[in-house]
Amino acid sequence: HPLFIKDKLNALLFTCAVQNGLSEVLLDMLGFDSAELRTCKPLGRQFPGLVGATFKQAVFYFENAVVVGVMREEASEGGVPHSVMYLNPYGSDVLKANESLIVLSDNSDITPCSPTSLEEKWEYIKEEVDHVKALTAISKTKLAIATAANECQEIVQPVHILVCGWRSEWVPEDDRFIQGVCTEVSNQSAPGSSVTFLTFLKPERFKDMFEGGGADKDI
């Protein structure tokens, strides 16, 4: 499959600007010099022991790989099967023989754990968590995160991003630019953060980017 990143470039650009070190992680994963994302062969051919197992169990299956997702064969509207990627699916999802795992590994020879080690790990996660209890735990976790974020506001320093130049794709009719600036930066930055553009764009044109169609957009 061809790789198209144009539609995601805005979000990637501003997310990396806000999250210090994220760009190094992505470059390392895409550089093919160390750990990299790999798609395994269908489970029925490469890891038959995982057929019928849950995704949660698959996470503990390998010695030298981190499982991050699964590729599934699904039928399109025309009935033609095609591969669909699911990153971090539900742990209770049951894996099928024609599905392939997506892993992060520095070795193409991906090795399962020993039977003894695997049995111990699967025994640890065997008990299913009650759905209501899980939702309650998630709610408490979100509340704890929100409380911690409020307490740490004075510790977290604002970020000031300088954007040099202007992409031709950034036009008032394309909300992806606004989403990149407003959503990615504002949601992940401390109060007082700013984005400064160094560009030859005329002030009127720049203003149109954030007031396109007569509707003001919060920044």
Side-chain angles (χ1 to χ4, degrees):
H1 294 81
L3 179 63
F4 296 104
I5 64 170
K6 185 177 180 180
D7 292 345
K8 305 296 182 182
L9 192 55
N10 292 336
L12 182 63
L13 174 68
F14 290 106
T15 299
C16 288
V18 174
Q19 299 187 24
N20 185 34
L22 179 60
S23 59
E24 295 182 20
V25 173
L26 295 175
L27 288 174
D28 189 61
M29 289 171 54
L30 298 175
F32 304 103
D33 293 326
S34 56
E36 60 189 69
L37 288 172
R38 304 172 185 271
T39 303
C40 301
K41 298 177 182 177
L43 294 177
R45 293 169 52 194
Q46 189 170 9
F47 303 112
L50 280 175
V51 177
T54 63
F55 182 78
K56 183 193 298 185
Q57 290 175 314
V59 169
F60 294 88
Y61 192 76
F62 302 103
E63 287 186 351
N64 58 349
V66 178
V67 181
V68 298
V70 61
M71 297 290 292
R72 294 174 178 155
E73 291 291 328
E74 297 185 0
S76 61
E77 295 181 357
V80 179
H82 66 290
S83 297
V84 179
M85 177 184 66
Y86 291 88
L87 292 180
N88 191 29
Y90 290 110
S92 58
D93 285 4
V94 177
L95 302 174
K96 301 177 181 178
N98 63 341
E99 296 178 343
S100 303
L101 292 179
I102 305 169
V103 301
L104 181 65
S105 176
D106 60 357
N107 194 327
S108 58
D109 184 17
I110 301 172
T111 308
C113 294
S114 66
T116 303
S117 174
L118 186 60
E119 184 178 356
E120 293 177 354
K121 293 178 180 179
W122 281 14
E123 182 68 24
Y124 177 76
I125 62 173
K126 183 174 64 175
E127 296 183 2
E128 294 294 333
V129 180
D130 180 79
H131 184 63
V132 176
K133 291 182 179 179
L135 291 179
T136 302
I138 292 173
S139 299
K140 290 182 178 179
T141 301
K142 288 183 177 180
L143 179 61
I145 292 174
T147 302
N150 290 332
E151 294 175 350
C152 294
Q153 278 188 351
E154 296 182 359
I155 301 175
V156 179
Q157 298 298 316
V159 296
H160 302 286
I161 301 171
L162 174 63
V163 181
C164 298
W166 192 265
R167 296 186 65 208
S168 59
E169 292 82 3
W170 292 346
V171 293
E173 297 78 19
D174 191 347
D175 280 342
R176 289 174 300 180
F177 170 75
I178 300 298
Q179 292 171 359
V181 177
C182 299
T183 305
E184 302 300 332
V185 176
S186 63
N187 288 353
Q188 303 179 49
S189 303
S193 299
S194 66
V195 181
T196 302
F197 290 87
L198 182 61
T199 173
F200 288 107
L201 201 68
K202 294 182 179 180
E204 296 79 10
R205 180 66 172 172
F206 184 83
K207 184 178 180 181
D208 287 343
M209 291 298 307
F210 301 95
E211 298 180 352
D216 292 344
K217 296 181 175 69
D218 296 330
I219 303 176

